[in-house]
Amino acid sequence: MEEKRFPEFKPELCMYCAGCVAVCPALALNLNETKLELNKEKCIKCLACTKICPVGALR
Amino acid sequence: MDFEKEYDIVIAGGGPAGLRTAIKAAEKKLKVLLLEKDQEIGSPVRCGEGLGMGWFNRLGIKPDPQFAVQSIYGAVLYSPKGKKLVVRFDKASGYIIERRIFEKFLAREAASKGATLIAKATVIDVLKEGEQVTGVKFVHAGEEFSVKAKVVVAADGVESTVARKAGLNTTNALYNVDSGYQYEMAGVKFEHPDLIALYFSNKYANRGYLWIFPKGEINGKNYGNVGVGILGSDTKTAKKCLDEWLETQPELKKGSKIIVNAGCIPVGGLLDKMTLNGLIAVGDAAHQVNPIHGGGMGIAMEAADLAVEVIAEAIEKNDLSDEFLSQYTKKWFELRGNKLQSLVKKRKMLEAISDEDFETIVNSLSGEDVLKLAGGDMLESAKVVTKKLMKNPKLATILLKYLK
Ligand SMILES: Cc1cc2nc3c(=O)[nH]c(=O)nc-3n(C[C@H](O)[C@H](O)[C@H](O)COP(=O)(O)OP(=O)(O)OC[C@H]3O[C@@H](n4cnc5c(N)ncnc54)[C@H](O)[C@@H]3O)c2cc1C
Ligand code: SF4
Ligand code: SF4
């Protein structure tokens, strides 16, 4: 079992490609052009977003 | 801002799916509004930019040289150890397009036919009356607006938040998404400047492949897209896969990276539900992508045509129910979805093949074999290889290993 934690975001790496939004089952990620926000109230800490991210901006 | 309070169709997303919907709806004299969150339609590009000739023909799109920048005559496939298979046709089998320009063409066409398009307009939610979707809320330059629609078309790409906010589950399972990363490289020499090159390797492209899609030549040097698509759940990032692979390619490595792209591709989770009362999902938003090679532009535009047909009839009959709109889903599966579904199965088998077995397979095929079998579309080669394998007893033994 992986530890339960929020994903960690490194904005300087982000390409704003929305891959993370596509796999987030909780609609907890909000992307608007060059701003990605995590809604901690919705996030279920599944870390799917960290796996899909093509560049490792979410870990 | 200049838009009306009510439209026949409001489209969320200005990619190929949304733009084609706008064009076809405007041609039918429907009142249509398209909202695109980015400040420029056509950018950023999340795409290898390859489009097969079959799509130009099917969709009636003229390959204007302003966007159809490089004719492609076939493909060259590289095995993990570097053995190559060349599949070359006499006639061009597709183009690499400059998508930034292609989408501008589509946007201008839609506007010229009477559609209204707004860039930098993000749909943040849908309006609902009971179970009926009746419009959207959007933000444009910091200000919030509401607009009514008889039908909302969710064409917002792989992220597909609009359909999900309306209650349609389009979340992508990690297993069904590929993670992609790409450079447009310039000042390089491509071995085959008029073929697409596909490199198969489980080491550098787990489940997917690496590609070179050439876009042109200047001063004796080539430029084009060099990218990778891998299994979404892979622990290595797509960027790392591409960078490590480039280290093994001395000639390519010398090139300049003039554009960096990333993006994800829904490659397999076809949806059996793509409509709600007053809403239709089209393109990547509805996972309408070829599961083997990840191409989705043509499929998205074809689905848009179908969506407009169904919506026009729904409006005419004044029946905006899910039940009526779901004809779109049924018709789409008949036209395209069932074919794609059978490819999902083939992909699952292909992706299990080890690099070693892949080598044996490639060694017993010739470019000629593939050519004979491919007979047409630019990206059909992977499919053809599978077919050929099934027929050869030696290869079938290898395959049996993977068919369990
Ligand atoms: C790395 C990579 C390589 C690819 N290579 C190819 C290829 O060579 N050939 C091919 O045919 N296909 C390719 N594809 C697939 C292809 O890019 C997609 O299938 C295609 O773009 C789908 O079109 P679409 O209109 O459905 O979505 P998109 O092109 O993604 O358009 C969706 C639009 O909606 C906008 N949007 C999102 N949310 C909102 C919102 N809330 N409000 C308003 N607007 C919103 C987005 O900004 C975007 O402009 C590739 C994909 C990737 C990631
Ligand atoms: S998947 Fe990664 S690069 Fe893409 S938007 Fe999310 S955090 Fe940014
Ligand atoms: S951890 Fe899971 S729920 Fe949280 S943002 Fe990432 S994908 Fe969404």
Side-chain angles (χ1 to χ4, degrees), chain A residues 7 20 23-26 28-29 38 42-49:
Chain A
C20 52
V23 299
C24 175
L29 291 159
L38 171 69
K42 286 190 180 167
C43 176
I44 57 165
K45 304 183 178 175
C46 68
L47 298 183
C49 55

Side-chain angles (χ1 to χ4, degrees), chain A residues 15 17-19 21-25 27 32-33 48 51-56, chain B residues 37 39 46 120 122 158 161 164 172 179-181 232 237-239 260 262 264:
Chain A
M15 302 287 300
C17 71
V21 183
V23 299
C24 175
L27 279 172
N32 200 351
E33 289 201 69
K51 300 206 174 83
I52 193 73
C53 180
V55 296
Chain B
K37 79 169 164 45
Q39 65 189 43
R46 303 182 286 190
K120 207 171 170 66
T122 307
V158 67
T161 58
R164 283 192 279 169
N172 282 282
S179 176
Y181 193 74
T237 65
K239 177 180 192 307
V260 186
C264 294

Side-chain angles (χ1 to χ4, degrees), chain B residues 137-159:
Chain B
K137 250 193 235 170
F138 70 99
V139 176
H140 175 66
E143 219 181 315
E144 201 176 300
F145 301 92
S146 285
V147 61
K148 290 254 193 184
K150 290 185 181 136
V151 178
V152 169
V153 172
D156 52 336
V158 67
E159 52 264 57

Side-chain angles (χ1 to χ4, degrees), chain B residues 4-260:
Chain B
E4 300 183 28
K5 288 202 176 71
E6 197 170 339
Y7 287 84
D8 290 321
I9 304 183
V10 170
I11 303 162
L19 293 165
R20 179 81 178 187
T21 306
I23 292 171
K24 290 290 151 183
E27 282 174 2
K28 286 201 187 292
K29 303 284 176 244
L30 295 170
K31 241 172 84 181
V32 40
L33 175 70
L34 181 148
L35 304 166
E36 165 54 50
K37 79 169 164 45
D38 292 332
Q39 65 189 43
E40 179 180 340
I41 288 181
S43 177
V45 172
R46 303 182 286 190
C47 190
E49 306 184 293
L51 192 57
M53 197 61 91
W55 287 115
F56 284 93
N57 297 335
R58 245 168 263 142
L59 297 163
I61 296 175
K62 204 175 124 254
D64 190 297
Q66 282 183 68
F67 60 76
V69 288
Q70 175 69 54
S71 302
I72 296 297
Y73 287 86
V76 48
L77 315 182
Y78 291 87
S79 75
K81 283 198 178 137
K83 183 178 152 86
K84 68 176 184 181
L85 266 178
V86 177
V87 187
R88 180 182 282 281
F89 302 104
D90 302 333
K91 284 191 293 192
S93 60
Y95 291 95
I96 306 304
I97 63 171
E98 196 67 74
R99 220 177 123 165
R100 275 180 185 69
I101 302 175
F102 178 60
E103 291 192 9
K104 298 264 182 339
F105 262 68
L106 297 180
R108 289 173 191 139
E109 187 183 349
S112 75
K113 288 180 169 161
T116 303
L117 295 86
I118 309 177
K120 207 171 170 66
T122 307
V123 174
I124 53 166
D125 211 345
V126 296
L127 305 173
K128 269 187 156 182
E129 282 169 28
E131 290 299 300
Q132 187 74 30
V133 175
T134 56
V136 302
K137 250 193 235 170
F138 70 99
V139 176
H140 175 66
E143 219 181 315
E144 201 176 300
F145 301 92
S146 285
V147 61
K148 290 254 193 184
K150 290 185 181 136
V151 178
V152 169
V153 172
D156 52 336
V158 67
E159 52 264 57
S160 199
T161 58
V162 176
R164 283 192 279 169
K165 282 176 182 169
L168 186 66
N169 185 5
T170 58
T171 305
N172 282 282
L174 207 44
Y175 178 79
N176 286 325
V177 193
D178 275 1
S179 176
Y181 193 74
Q182 176 180 275
Y183 298 116
E184 179 168 328
M185 298 194 74
V188 279
K189 267 306 217 190
F190 295 147
E191 219 179 319
H192 301 280
D194 59 357
L195 300 176
I196 58 168
L198 307 178
Y199 296 79
F200 296 92
S201 153
N202 284 330
K203 183 167 173 209
Y204 297 110
N206 186 4
R207 182 169 87 178
Y209 56 89
L210 301 121
W211 65 80
I212 299 176
F213 284 11
K215 286 173 94 168
E217 192 190 299
I218 184 163
N219 295 329
K221 295 283 182 148
N222 305 108
Y223 56 95
N225 295 327
V226 180
V228 68
I230 57 164
L231 178 67
S233 57
D234 200 349
T235 45
K236 217 157 113 186
T237 65
K239 177 180 192 307
K240 197 155 196 275
C241 290
L242 182 59
D243 287 342
E244 283 181 8
W245 178 75
L246 277 175
E247 284 304 312
T248 70
Q249 305 291 314
E251 193 46 48
L252 276 182
K253 223 174 76 174
K254 292 185 210 150
S256 298
K257 297 161 183 163
I258 62 168
I259 303 179
V260 186

